[in-house]
Amino acid sequence: MIKTYYVNLNDELKETTSPNDITEDKKWVWVDLNEPTKAESEVLVDYFDFHPLSIEDATLVLQRPKFKQYDDYQFIVFHALDLKTLESEEVDIFIGDGFIVTYHKVQFEEIDAIRRKLFYHTIHINEPKDILLNLLDEIVDNYFPFIYDIEDKVFNFEDRHNVDISTKSLIDDTFDLRQELLIIKRTVQPMKDLVYRMREGKVLHLNEQQLLYITHINDHLIKQMEMVDSSREMTSDIRDNYISLNSFKMNNIMKILTIYSVVFMPLTLIAGIYGMNFKNMPELNWHDGYYIVLIIMAVIALIMLAVFKKKKWF
């Protein structure tokens, strides 16, 4: 579907289907191609005459966030996050003097939000670069709910110390959380680099207010990356702590089992000696030999346990 919005010379905002339907002079035009058909995509060639490489990038290949300068326009790729899957959603933007074209193969809530604000006059738009910055701001701000949600999950791990949950379950949950953080970082980090290039490159020729706006957006991305990195460090610490705790428990178990084994070794030796079937074993004829041997075995065990206790081996 293709939608066209433009402002005429009387500063009236109007809507039509195709830019070819505009019959009056205009200050600027915004063409939004939402899940466009092949025929609708032809407007990129027939009306705007964009470079074939930029059209190929927009229509055929999933791109990383990037910025490319052409003769009379710039080609930009933004990534948003899907509300349900955390997968990246791409929106391709062509922007030049007096026009902006947004091309996306899925429905973009951020673009719908800009459209509503535009018609309700809740944002001030003087030129296409204002639409670009407002769209970028919407996309970046929508990263926050995902990051806050994961940050809450990380902090909730501290509350699970007092719950009888297996170490394996906690480790599995930690790895799942780190996977989500990695997915978000793959989106936020390239976007941060892109916005930095847009701000420092001076190619868009932003005015003072627009520079303040893009600096504000860049600050949000820096904060988001710091939150993601902090959460990754915390999950790494949690994982290492639980692995260390599990190793500590296993070492204690092995220590106790080793102590029992060492204590029973001399007792087993005595029992083995008197279990041999030789005829010339004088102790076998002792009337109280059985009780004497049991007492000796008990004394040996107690002495060994006392020595181990003194050495603080358990």
Side-chain angles (χ1 to χ4, degrees), residues 11 13-14 29 36 45 50 53 55 76 123 131 143 188 200 202 205 210-211 215-216 239 245 289 299 305:
D11 290 327
L13 178 64
K14 294 188 177 182
V29 60
V45 179
F50 291 138
L53 289 178
I55 295 176
I76 307 172
I123 55 175
I131 294 177
Y143 294 159
V188 177
E200 300 297 327
K202 310 297 183 183
H205 305 294
Q210 291 166 343
L211 280 173
T215 301
H216 163 79
R239 179 194 60 192
L245 178 61
V299 170
L305 288 173

PDB file of all heavy atoms in Angstrom, residues 11 13-14 29 36 45 50 53 55 76 123 131 143 188 200 202 205 210-211 215-216 239 245 289 299 305:
ATOM      1  N   ASP A  11       0.578  25.940   3.332  1.00  0.00           N
ATOM      2  CA  ASP A  11       0.877  25.201   4.575  1.00  0.00           C
ATOM      3  C   ASP A  11      -0.259  24.284   4.989  1.00  0.00           C
ATOM      4  O   ASP A  11      -0.455  24.014   6.176  1.00  0.00           O
ATOM      5  CB  ASP A  11       1.201  26.174   5.722  1.00  0.00           C
ATOM      6  CG  ASP A  11       2.532  26.875   5.523  1.00  0.00           C
ATOM      7  OD1 ASP A  11       3.444  26.249   4.942  1.00  0.00           O
ATOM      8  OD2 ASP A  11       2.647  28.042   5.926  1.00  0.00           O
ATOM      9  N   LEU A  13      -1.736  20.538   5.092  1.00  0.00           N
ATOM     10  CA  LEU A  13      -1.315  19.147   5.001  1.00  0.00           C
ATOM     11  C   LEU A  13      -2.397  18.342   4.305  1.00  0.00           C
ATOM     12  O   LEU A  13      -3.555  18.347   4.721  1.00  0.00           O
ATOM     13  CB  LEU A  13      -1.055  18.579   6.402  1.00  0.00           C
ATOM     14  CG  LEU A  13      -0.647  17.101   6.459  1.00  0.00           C
ATOM     15  CD1 LEU A  13       0.692  16.877   5.764  1.00  0.00           C
ATOM     16  CD2 LEU A  13      -0.584  16.622   7.907  1.00  0.00           C
ATOM     17  N   LYS A  14      -2.028  17.634   3.251  1.00  0.00           N
ATOM     18  CA  LYS A  14      -3.002  16.868   2.487  1.00  0.00           C
ATOM     19  C   LYS A  14      -2.503  15.446   2.280  1.00  0.00           C
ATOM     20  O   LYS A  14      -1.311  15.158   2.387  1.00  0.00           O
ATOM     21  CB  LYS A  14      -3.271  17.544   1.142  1.00  0.00           C
ATOM     22  CG  LYS A  14      -3.951  18.906   1.275  1.00  0.00           C
ATOM     23  CD  LYS A  14      -4.375  19.447  -0.074  1.00  0.00           C
ATOM     24  CE  LYS A  14      -5.130  20.767   0.066  1.00  0.00           C
ATOM     25  NZ  LYS A  14      -5.602  21.281  -1.246  1.00  0.00           N
ATOM     26  N   VAL A  29       7.011  16.577   0.329  1.00  0.00           N
ATOM     27  CA  VAL A  29       6.135  15.418   0.175  1.00  0.00           C
ATOM     28  C   VAL A  29       6.739  14.238   0.923  1.00  0.00           C
ATOM     29  O   VAL A  29       7.957  14.071   0.986  1.00  0.00           O
ATOM     30  CB  VAL A  29       5.933  15.070  -1.315  1.00  0.00           C
ATOM     31  CG1 VAL A  29       7.262  14.749  -1.988  1.00  0.00           C
ATOM     32  CG2 VAL A  29       4.961  13.907  -1.478  1.00  0.00           C
ATOM     33  N   PRO A  36       4.627  -2.803   0.058  1.00  0.00           N
ATOM     34  CA  PRO A  36       4.252  -2.437  -1.311  1.00  0.00           C
ATOM     35  C   PRO A  36       4.303  -3.617  -2.268  1.00  0.00           C
ATOM     36  O   PRO A  36       5.098  -4.552  -2.107  1.00  0.00           O
ATOM     37  CB  PRO A  36       5.312  -1.391  -1.682  1.00  0.00           C
ATOM     38  CG  PRO A  36       6.500  -1.779  -0.868  1.00  0.00           C
ATOM     39  CD  PRO A  36       5.951  -2.308   0.429  1.00  0.00           C
ATOM     40  N   VAL A  45      11.372   4.368  -9.050  1.00  0.00           N
ATOM     41  CA  VAL A  45      12.075   4.592 -10.316  1.00  0.00           C
ATOM     42  C   VAL A  45      11.370   5.652 -11.152  1.00  0.00           C
ATOM     43  O   VAL A  45      11.981   6.620 -11.614  1.00  0.00           O
ATOM     44  CB  VAL A  45      12.188   3.271 -11.105  1.00  0.00           C
ATOM     45  CG1 VAL A  45      12.887   3.507 -12.442  1.00  0.00           C
ATOM     46  CG2 VAL A  45      12.917   2.219 -10.294  1.00  0.00           C
ATOM     47  N   PHE A  50      15.466   7.085  -8.281  1.00  0.00           N
ATOM     48  CA  PHE A  50      16.556   6.782  -7.368  1.00  0.00           C
ATOM     49  C   PHE A  50      17.576   5.870  -8.036  1.00  0.00           C
ATOM     50  O   PHE A  50      17.276   5.166  -9.006  1.00  0.00           O
ATOM     51  CB  PHE A  50      16.019   6.111  -6.098  1.00  0.00           C
ATOM     52  CG  PHE A  50      15.202   7.019  -5.235  1.00  0.00           C
ATOM     53  CD1 PHE A  50      14.026   6.575  -4.639  1.00  0.00           C
ATOM     54  CD2 PHE A  50      15.591   8.326  -4.997  1.00  0.00           C
ATOM     55  CE1 PHE A  50      13.277   7.405  -3.830  1.00  0.00           C
ATOM     56  CE2 PHE A  50      14.850   9.176  -4.191  1.00  0.00           C
ATOM     57  CZ  PHE A  50      13.687   8.712  -3.616  1.00  0.00           C
ATOM     58  N   LEU A  53      21.132   0.919  -7.151  1.00  0.00           N
ATOM     59  CA  LEU A  53      21.732   0.231  -6.004  1.00  0.00           C
ATOM     60  C   LEU A  53      20.946   0.499  -4.725  1.00  0.00           C
ATOM     61  O   LEU A  53      20.758  -0.410  -3.895  1.00  0.00           O
ATOM     62  CB  LEU A  53      23.189   0.672  -5.826  1.00  0.00           C
ATOM     63  CG  LEU A  53      24.175   0.173  -6.886  1.00  0.00           C
ATOM     64  CD1 LEU A  53      25.569   0.722  -6.619  1.00  0.00           C
ATOM     65  CD2 LEU A  53      24.200  -1.355  -6.913  1.00  0.00           C
ATOM     66  N   ILE A  55      17.764   1.274  -4.574  1.00  0.00           N
ATOM     67  CA  ILE A  55      16.478   0.573  -4.713  1.00  0.00           C
ATOM     68  C   ILE A  55      16.657  -0.909  -4.426  1.00  0.00           C
ATOM     69  O   ILE A  55      15.827  -1.541  -3.761  1.00  0.00           O
ATOM     70  CB  ILE A  55      15.900   0.793  -6.126  1.00  0.00           C
ATOM     71  CG1 ILE A  55      15.569   2.281  -6.331  1.00  0.00           C
ATOM     72  CG2 ILE A  55      14.659  -0.068  -6.337  1.00  0.00           C
ATOM     73  CD1 ILE A  55      15.081   2.606  -7.725  1.00  0.00           C
ATOM     74  N   ILE A  76      19.024   5.823   3.929  1.00  0.00           N
ATOM     75  CA  ILE A  76      19.256   5.467   5.330  1.00  0.00           C
ATOM     76  C   ILE A  76      18.436   4.224   5.669  1.00  0.00           C
ATOM     77  O   ILE A  76      17.292   4.082   5.214  1.00  0.00           O
ATOM     78  CB  ILE A  76      18.852   6.620   6.275  1.00  0.00           C
ATOM     79  CG1 ILE A  76      19.536   7.923   5.845  1.00  0.00           C
ATOM     80  CG2 ILE A  76      19.220   6.295   7.721  1.00  0.00           C
ATOM     81  CD1 ILE A  76      19.048   9.142   6.581  1.00  0.00           C
ATOM     82  N   ILE A 123       3.156  17.537  16.550  1.00  0.00           N
ATOM     83  CA  ILE A 123       4.576  17.757  16.270  1.00  0.00           C
ATOM     84  C   ILE A 123       4.683  18.841  15.204  1.00  0.00           C
ATOM     85  O   ILE A 123       3.772  19.036  14.389  1.00  0.00           O
ATOM     86  CB  ILE A 123       5.291  16.468  15.788  1.00  0.00           C
ATOM     87  CG1 ILE A 123       4.586  15.873  14.565  1.00  0.00           C
ATOM     88  CG2 ILE A 123       5.387  15.447  16.904  1.00  0.00           C
ATOM     89  CD1 ILE A 123       5.304  14.672  13.977  1.00  0.00           C
ATOM     90  N   ILE A 131      10.592  14.925   9.834  1.00  0.00           N
ATOM     91  CA  ILE A 131       9.942  13.610   9.849  1.00  0.00           C
ATOM     92  C   ILE A 131      10.977  12.525  10.130  1.00  0.00           C
ATOM     93  O   ILE A 131      10.737  11.598  10.925  1.00  0.00           O
ATOM     94  CB  ILE A 131       9.227  13.341   8.512  1.00  0.00           C
ATOM     95  CG1 ILE A 131       8.059  14.315   8.332  1.00  0.00           C
ATOM     96  CG2 ILE A 131       8.737  11.895   8.431  1.00  0.00           C
ATOM     97  CD1 ILE A 131       7.334  14.171   7.017  1.00  0.00           C
ATOM     98  N   TYR A 143      12.825   1.128  22.032  1.00  0.00           N
ATOM     99  CA  TYR A 143      13.773   0.141  22.550  1.00  0.00           C
ATOM    100  C   TYR A 143      13.685   0.034  24.073  1.00  0.00           C
ATOM    101  O   TYR A 143      13.963  -1.027  24.641  1.00  0.00           O
ATOM    102  CB  TYR A 143      15.219   0.530  22.202  1.00  0.00           C
ATOM    103  CG  TYR A 143      15.572   0.512  20.740  1.00  0.00           C
ATOM    104  CD1 TYR A 143      16.665   1.232  20.273  1.00  0.00           C
ATOM    105  CD2 TYR A 143      14.836  -0.224  19.822  1.00  0.00           C
ATOM    106  CE1 TYR A 143      17.021   1.226  18.930  1.00  0.00           C
ATOM    107  CE2 TYR A 143      15.179  -0.237  18.477  1.00  0.00           C
ATOM    108  CZ  TYR A 143      16.267   0.499  18.034  1.00  0.00           C
ATOM    109  OH  TYR A 143      16.618   0.488  16.720  1.00  0.00           O
ATOM    110  N   VAL A 188      20.699  -2.275  18.705  1.00  0.00           N
ATOM    111  CA  VAL A 188      20.995  -0.965  19.299  1.00  0.00           C
ATOM    112  C   VAL A 188      22.391  -0.478  18.935  1.00  0.00           C
ATOM    113  O   VAL A 188      22.576   0.707  18.615  1.00  0.00           O
ATOM    114  CB  VAL A 188      20.824  -1.025  20.831  1.00  0.00           C
ATOM    115  CG1 VAL A 188      21.198   0.315  21.461  1.00  0.00           C
ATOM    116  CG2 VAL A 188      19.386  -1.384  21.191  1.00  0.00           C
ATOM    117  N   GLU A 200      27.577  13.610  13.205  1.00  0.00           N
ATOM    118  CA  GLU A 200      28.910  14.161  12.998  1.00  0.00           C
ATOM    119  C   GLU A 200      29.263  14.353  11.523  1.00  0.00           C
ATOM    120  O   GLU A 200      30.169  15.105  11.209  1.00  0.00           O
ATOM    121  CB  GLU A 200      29.965  13.250  13.650  1.00  0.00           C
ATOM    122  CG  GLU A 200      29.782  13.076  15.154  1.00  0.00           C
ATOM    123  CD  GLU A 200      29.940  14.381  15.903  1.00  0.00           C
ATOM    124  OE1 GLU A 200      30.744  15.230  15.460  1.00  0.00           O
ATOM    125  OE2 GLU A 200      29.253  14.564  16.929  1.00  0.00           O
ATOM    126  N   LYS A 202      27.614  15.774   9.072  1.00  0.00           N
ATOM    127  CA  LYS A 202      27.208  17.069   8.518  1.00  0.00           C
ATOM    128  C   LYS A 202      26.627  16.953   7.108  1.00  0.00           C
ATOM    129  O   LYS A 202      26.455  17.952   6.414  1.00  0.00           O
ATOM    130  CB  LYS A 202      28.393  18.048   8.478  1.00  0.00           C
ATOM    131  CG  LYS A 202      29.176  18.163   9.788  1.00  0.00           C
ATOM    132  CD  LYS A 202      28.342  18.701  10.920  1.00  0.00           C
ATOM    133  CE  LYS A 202      29.174  18.864  12.191  1.00  0.00           C
ATOM    134  NZ  LYS A 202      28.363  19.324  13.334  1.00  0.00           N
ATOM    135  N   HIS A 205      22.965  18.374   6.780  1.00  0.00           N
ATOM    136  CA  HIS A 205      22.854  19.835   6.947  1.00  0.00           C
ATOM    137  C   HIS A 205      21.738  20.197   7.933  1.00  0.00           C
ATOM    138  O   HIS A 205      20.824  20.963   7.616  1.00  0.00           O
ATOM    139  CB  HIS A 205      22.613  20.514   5.596  1.00  0.00           C
ATOM    140  CG  HIS A 205      23.641  20.177   4.559  1.00  0.00           C
ATOM    141  ND1 HIS A 205      24.958  20.564   4.652  1.00  0.00           N
ATOM    142  CD2 HIS A 205      23.538  19.446   3.408  1.00  0.00           C
ATOM    143  CE1 HIS A 205      25.634  20.105   3.595  1.00  0.00           C
ATOM    144  NE2 HIS A 205      24.794  19.426   2.823  1.00  0.00           N
ATOM    145  N   GLN A 210      17.598  20.856  15.047  1.00  0.00           N
ATOM    146  CA  GLN A 210      17.679  19.463  14.616  1.00  0.00           C
ATOM    147  C   GLN A 210      18.923  18.783  15.176  1.00  0.00           C
ATOM    148  O   GLN A 210      18.891  17.601  15.527  1.00  0.00           O
ATOM    149  CB  GLN A 210      17.660  19.398  13.089  1.00  0.00           C
ATOM    150  CG  GLN A 210      16.322  19.784  12.483  1.00  0.00           C
ATOM    151  CD  GLN A 210      16.401  20.038  10.987  1.00  0.00           C
ATOM    152  OE1 GLN A 210      17.480  20.240  10.429  1.00  0.00           O
ATOM    153  NE2 GLN A 210      15.241  20.035  10.331  1.00  0.00           N
ATOM    154  N   LEU A 211      20.024  19.535  15.292  1.00  0.00           N
ATOM    155  CA  LEU A 211      21.220  18.975  15.913  1.00  0.00           C
ATOM    156  C   LEU A 211      20.994  18.657  17.381  1.00  0.00           C
ATOM    157  O   LEU A 211      21.461  17.630  17.891  1.00  0.00           O
ATOM    158  CB  LEU A 211      22.390  19.950  15.757  1.00  0.00           C
ATOM    159  CG  LEU A 211      23.109  19.952  14.406  1.00  0.00           C
ATOM    160  CD1 LEU A 211      24.120  21.081  14.341  1.00  0.00           C
ATOM    161  CD2 LEU A 211      23.797  18.616  14.160  1.00  0.00           C
ATOM    162  N   THR A 215      21.132  14.893  18.894  1.00  0.00           N
ATOM    163  CA  THR A 215      21.999  14.671  20.054  1.00  0.00           C
ATOM    164  C   THR A 215      21.216  14.032  21.193  1.00  0.00           C
ATOM    165  O   THR A 215      21.710  13.127  21.891  1.00  0.00           O
ATOM    166  CB  THR A 215      22.618  16.000  20.521  1.00  0.00           C
ATOM    167  OG1 THR A 215      23.380  16.569  19.462  1.00  0.00           O
ATOM    168  CG2 THR A 215      23.513  15.787  21.735  1.00  0.00           C
ATOM    169  N   HIS A 216      19.971  14.469  21.364  1.00  0.00           N
ATOM    170  CA  HIS A 216      19.077  13.876  22.363  1.00  0.00           C
ATOM    171  C   HIS A 216      18.848  12.396  22.054  1.00  0.00           C
ATOM    172  O   HIS A 216      18.888  11.541  22.958  1.00  0.00           O
ATOM    173  CB  HIS A 216      17.761  14.655  22.358  1.00  0.00           C
ATOM    174  CG  HIS A 216      16.623  13.949  23.013  1.00  0.00           C
ATOM    175  ND1 HIS A 216      16.462  13.893  24.383  1.00  0.00           N
ATOM    176  CD2 HIS A 216      15.564  13.264  22.493  1.00  0.00           C
ATOM    177  CE1 HIS A 216      15.376  13.209  24.669  1.00  0.00           C
ATOM    178  NE2 HIS A 216      14.815  12.815  23.543  1.00  0.00           N
ATOM    179  N   ARG A 239      25.851 -16.000  36.356  1.00  0.00           N
ATOM    180  CA  ARG A 239      26.227 -17.318  35.835  1.00  0.00           C
ATOM    181  C   ARG A 239      27.484 -17.839  36.522  1.00  0.00           C
ATOM    182  O   ARG A 239      27.528 -19.004  36.964  1.00  0.00           O
ATOM    183  CB  ARG A 239      26.462 -17.203  34.329  1.00  0.00           C
ATOM    184  CG  ARG A 239      26.896 -18.512  33.657  1.00  0.00           C
ATOM    185  CD  ARG A 239      27.437 -18.228  32.279  1.00  0.00           C
ATOM    186  NE  ARG A 239      28.586 -17.330  32.346  1.00  0.00           N
ATOM    187  CZ  ARG A 239      29.110 -16.732  31.287  1.00  0.00           C
ATOM    188  NH1 ARG A 239      28.590 -16.902  30.101  1.00  0.00           N
ATOM    189  NH2 ARG A 239      30.169 -15.945  31.432  1.00  0.00           N
ATOM    190  N   LEU A 245      29.133 -21.720  42.915  1.00  0.00           N
ATOM    191  CA  LEU A 245      28.374 -22.322  44.018  1.00  0.00           C
ATOM    192  C   LEU A 245      28.159 -23.803  43.796  1.00  0.00           C
ATOM    193  O   LEU A 245      28.299 -24.610  44.726  1.00  0.00           O
ATOM    194  CB  LEU A 245      27.017 -21.602  44.146  1.00  0.00           C
ATOM    195  CG  LEU A 245      26.066 -22.121  45.225  1.00  0.00           C
ATOM    196  CD1 LEU A 245      26.698 -21.981  46.602  1.00  0.00           C
ATOM    197  CD2 LEU A 245      24.731 -21.380  45.173  1.00  0.00           C
ATOM    198  N   GLY A 289      36.991 -62.202  71.370  1.00  0.00           N
ATOM    199  CA  GLY A 289      37.693 -61.613  70.220  1.00  0.00           C
ATOM    200  C   GLY A 289      36.802 -60.722  69.351  1.00  0.00           C
ATOM    201  O   GLY A 289      37.219 -59.651  68.894  1.00  0.00           O
ATOM    202  N   VAL A 299      37.438 -47.443  67.953  1.00  0.00           N
ATOM    203  CA  VAL A 299      38.451 -46.496  68.440  1.00  0.00           C
ATOM    204  C   VAL A 299      39.220 -45.888  67.269  1.00  0.00           C
ATOM    205  O   VAL A 299      39.466 -44.676  67.217  1.00  0.00           O
ATOM    206  CB  VAL A 299      39.399 -47.196  69.426  1.00  0.00           C
ATOM    207  CG1 VAL A 299      40.603 -46.305  69.741  1.00  0.00           C
ATOM    208  CG2 VAL A 299      38.666 -47.562  70.714  1.00  0.00           C
ATOM    209  N   LEU A 305      38.324 -39.564  62.937  1.00  0.00           N
ATOM    210  CA  LEU A 305      37.356 -38.463  62.848  1.00  0.00           C
ATOM    211  C   LEU A 305      37.814 -37.271  63.685  1.00  0.00           C
ATOM    212  O   LEU A 305      37.643 -36.115  63.279  1.00  0.00           O
ATOM    213  CB  LEU A 305      35.981 -38.943  63.305  1.00  0.00           C
ATOM    214  CG  LEU A 305      35.254 -39.907  62.348  1.00  0.00           C
ATOM    215  CD1 LEU A 305      33.982 -40.442  62.996  1.00  0.00           C
ATOM    216  CD2 LEU A 305      34.909 -39.199  61.030  1.00  0.00           C
TER     217      LEU A 305
END
